[in-house]
Every structure is written in structure tokens, then in C-alpha cells.
Amino acid sequence: LMLSVHSALTTPLGHIVRGDKLCREMPHVVLSLHLLNEKLNKDSFWKPYVQILPWTYSTPLYYTPDEMAVLKGTSAFADAINCVRNVALQYSYLYRLLKSHPHLSTNVNTFTFDEYRWAVSAVMTRQNAVPLVGEPDSPRKRSLALVPYWDMANHRGGGAITSDYSDSEECCVCYALWDIEAGAQFLMYYGDRSSTEFLVNSGFVPEENDHDRFKLRLGISKADPLYAKRVKVFETCGLPIHTSGTFPLHRPIKPLAPETTLFLRVLCMDENELDECAKQDQSLQLRQSLMDSTKPYSASLHSRLWNFVKTRCNLLLRQYPGADEEDNAILSKDSISPNTRAILLFRKSERRLLREMMEFSEKKLTEDTS
């Protein structure tokens, strides 16, 4: 029993979905429209399910200007702004599209931005990709879906994803990770998500998150005298030439991500090291070597890289909004909104990650890399 993109095709929305490019390319938009259409249809089969869904959410779509201001200066601010902007653009597009379909429960008279942000938030916080039953031995396609009861389970950290699909029963199954006493809340593990992903897509932030990561912006300046040689190393590695971007900086309980390691090494290389890399003719071997954070490329490069990370984290921490003491004082008040509470917990988690990376960088600088 699932409300899905696939089931939307069997409703009056099906004609719109099949004929519109945006709907065909953005399944979460289709699922949001499907949910809203069922909410506004007083005779909907899905009425009992819709009635037990929350009537408001803690996604960025519900932030007040003051709450959004608290998020400013964090790595999640751009994601939150983009979320609101994209949904506003979708609403404007869909409003014009629905003008030609007045027979739907969701029409221009009922399709308000408040209703649409509700549906989008419900889908953002509850959607799952489930397999579609097709022909035997054919490639299994997946469809975004809302699964009653299953999608109401809250998150608990320190686990593994134990949800699956049973071909024999043709249904989703979810296995308990922990012993559950009668009357206790059933919890599941949402996956290896960053705190940014939890905040923006689910509307909350776990106080402990081993899989947290900071979105570190890195770039190679065209004013750098070695700019052309750094670009040449990317070419030698057989990689697309991206001289700037956002790279994941994980908590130090995990090694540096391969793409972060490679970019930092190229960024911190001296001229001799760049020339040596550019001479190599085994692009895959060079790429794998530069991506492997467990093996220092050279002692001097190792030192330059971790000095760079330490200095960068220190600068980011000094520029970061607020302080733990101030945020803790606000968090102690019962009067703050749930959205502000989540944002402050997020700010604390980012500061902690930056401090941990500074300490870890100091430790790496003392390692014997010979």
C-alpha cells in the first residue's frame, strides 16, 4: 500500500505527468502534486493517511526570515536558500500548468504556495525509493513513494539501513536493529547523512552524527603562478578540469574523502612535484595514488597539506557565526522555536567538526611519514 509516482499515473494527474517535461524529469514534484491532490479530494482513498500527517514541518520552507538569519554563515545556508528558491520556482511553473486543468482537486483555486510547501515538505521528509514490480528477469525500476506507517519511523544513529523489498510478498520490509520493548517507539536508521542533509531534508539535526561532513569550498586562483601546471595534473589524471568546487571534509573518525585528498594535494604541490606528476603516462595509477589518503605522497607535501587544512579550519572557525556558549544559552530557553533549536544544534555540530579537524591536522603534522 504505497502512494507513489507510479500510482500518480493512474489518477487524473497521469495525463499532466506524461505530457510535461518538468514532471517527467522531477519525480519528487509529481509525488508532491499527487499527495496534495489526494489531500484536497474529500473522497480520497488516502484520506486517513493524509489526516495523520503533520500539518506543518521544520524544513527551510517554513523558516521565518529571523530563523534563516540564524543559519547565515553556515555551510547549509546556501542549500536552505536554494531549497526555498527552487520550490518557489516550481510553484510558479505548476500554477500556470494547472490553469488548463480545472477538473483536478488541485487547481488554481486550491493550489496555494502554503499547500504546495506542505506537500513538498511531506515528501522531502518521508519519501523512499521502492522497486516496481515488472516482468521477471527485467531490470528493476524504482519509484519514489510514501509508505504509510513505515515512513513514520524516526531516526536513531549508530545503525545500518535494514529496509528492503520482498519479491515474494511484493512489499517493503524493515528489520529492527535493536530489541524493542512493548509500547516503545520503533526507530530506524536513515542512512549515512551529513547534518546538513538532516537539517535541510528532514528538518532536524542529531546531536551525535559520526557521518557528519563539512562542505569545504576550495579553488585554484588564476593568479597562482603554477595555475597551468596544476590544471595539467588534473588532465594527466584523466579528470575533468574543475579549478574550484565544494569538497566533503568528514569528521576525523573517517579518512579524507578521495576527491578531497586529490584536490588538496594538487593545490599544495610545489613546482617540482607538479612537473613530476605531469610526466606520468599512467593516468589511473596517478589518480589512485593522489586519492589515497592513507599513503602520504611525500613527507613535504604531507606537511603542506595538513598545515593548509589546519589554517583553513581555523579561519572558518574564527569567521563562524555565534559561539557555543551563546548558542547553549539560547538552547536552554523553552521559548525558542523548533526551527531555531535545530539550526543552533547544527551550528554547534559544524563548530565541533572544524575543531576536531584542527586537532586532527596537528596530530597528522607530528606523524612520521618516512
Side-chain angles (χ1 to χ4, degrees):
L1 188 64
M2 304 177 193
L3 192 147
S4 68
V5 172
H6 187 65
S7 68
L9 300 176
T10 66
T11 71
L13 280 173
H15 175 69
I16 300 176
V17 172
R18 292 186 181 92
D20 185 75
K21 183 179 179 181
L22 181 139
C23 290
R24 291 197 304 270
E25 294 179 354
M26 303 182 74
H28 63 280
V29 170
V30 176
L31 189 54
S32 300
L33 277 177
H34 188 15
L35 174 62
L36 185 54
N37 205 50
E38 299 304 324
K39 178 188 177 185
L40 297 174
N41 177 6
K42 60 180 177 29
D43 299 319
S44 172
F45 168 80
W46 295 98
K47 185 176 181 179
Y49 171 66
V50 172
Q51 287 180 329
I52 60 174
L53 291 176
W55 288 100
T56 187
Y57 287 90
S58 296
T59 66
L61 295 171
Y62 283 85
Y63 287 1
T64 66
D66 286 344
E67 289 167 344
M68 192 68 82
V70 179
L71 191 61
K72 190 173 183 179
T74 72
S75 69
F77 181 68
D79 286 357
I81 291 293
N82 286 335
C83 174
V84 176
R85 182 182 64 87
N86 291 339
V87 171
L89 289 172
Q90 291 167 21
Y91 173 76
S92 177
Y93 177 89
L94 293 170
Y95 185 87
R96 293 193 298 270
L97 180 66
L98 291 171
K99 276 187 174 181
S100 57
H101 299 277
H103 61 286
L104 294 173
S105 298
T106 305
N107 55 56
V108 291
N109 296 317
T110 57
F111 187 57
T112 65
F113 181 75
D114 194 49
E115 291 283 18
Y116 185 59
R117 71 170 176 172
W118 172 86
V120 171
S121 295
V123 168
M124 284 171 61
T125 57
R126 317 179 93 78
Q127 66 184 353
N128 288 278
V130 298
L132 293 173
V133 178
E135 295 296 324
D137 302 322
S138 65
R140 178 63 60 84
K141 295 181 179 179
R142 302 178 78 83
S143 176
L144 290 183
L146 302 177
V147 185
Y149 182 71
W150 184 45
D151 67 11
M152 294 177 186
N154 287 323
H155 169 78
R156 174 176 166 178
I161 293 177
T162 57
S163 299
D164 204 349
Y165 187 83
S166 169
D167 287 304
S168 60
E169 299 292 334
E170 294 187 358
C171 68
C172 288
V173 292
C174 184
Y175 302 95
L177 275 167
W178 308 275
D179 292 337
I180 304 171
E181 297 180 2
Q185 182 179 179
F186 173 77
L187 300 168
M188 67 166 64
Y189 182 67
Y190 283 6
D192 299 348
R193 301 180 183 180
S194 69
S195 292
T196 296
E197 291 167 327
F198 275 117
L199 180 70
V200 175
N201 299 322
S202 298
F204 72 94
V205 177
E207 293 200 23
E208 288 293 329
N209 183 8
D210 290 345
H211 301 283
D212 200 7
R213 51 194 177 273
F214 185 88
K215 297 171 77 171
L216 181 66
R217 291 198 60 80
L218 296 171
I220 300 171
S221 171
K222 289 189 176 181
D224 182 348
L226 300 177
Y227 175 85
K229 293 192 175 187
R230 298 194 200 282
V231 170
K232 180 63 177 176
V233 173
F234 288 127
E235 291 178 345
T236 306
C237 288
L239 294 171
I241 300 170
H242 296 300
T243 55
S244 65
T246 303
F247 297 85
L249 191 64
H250 293 269
R251 293 185 68 184
I253 53 176
K254 292 188 172 208
L256 278 178
E259 63 271 33
T260 308
T261 303
L262 186 147
F263 197 95
L264 283 171
R265 282 177 170 170
V266 174
L267 181 64
C268 295
M269 280 181 176
D270 62 25
E271 188 168 14
N272 290 334
E273 290 163 339
L274 290 168
D275 289 340
E276 190 64 32
C277 286
K279 291 177 185 176
Q280 298 193 31
D281 55 6
Q282 298 292 326
S283 62
L284 178 60
Q285 184 177 347
L286 175 62
R287 183 165 71 246
Q288 289 175 338
S289 175
L290 291 177
M291 283 183 163
D292 188 354
S293 64
T294 65
K295 297 177 181 177
Y297 195 77
S298 71
S300 60
L301 179 58
H302 175 89
S303 177
R304 272 177 266 131
L305 185 151
W306 287 107
N307 264 314
F308 177 90
V309 172
K310 178 185 173 183
T311 302
R312 187 62 174 272
C313 288
N314 185 36
L315 285 171
L316 288 167
L317 196 55
R318 288 168 62 183
Q319 296 168 0
Y320 203 85
D324 282 354
E325 296 78 12
E326 298 170 7
D327 288 354
N328 286 335
I330 300 172
L331 285 166
S332 67
K333 299 176 181 178
D334 295 331
S335 58
I336 67 169
S337 69
N339 293 343
T340 300
R341 184 174 297 278
I343 293 168
L344 291 176
L345 288 173
F346 175 76
R347 298 200 321 186
K348 288 184 63 178
S349 73
E350 285 214 318
R351 287 194 210 97
R352 178 180 63 183
L353 190 152
L354 291 171
R355 284 194 297 267
E356 288 176 345
M357 282 307 302
M358 285 177 60
E359 294 168 4
F360 185 70
S361 299
E362 192 66 51
K363 179 182 176 182
K364 297 294 285 185
L365 286 166
T366 63
E367 284 184 353
D368 181 4
T369 58
S370 58

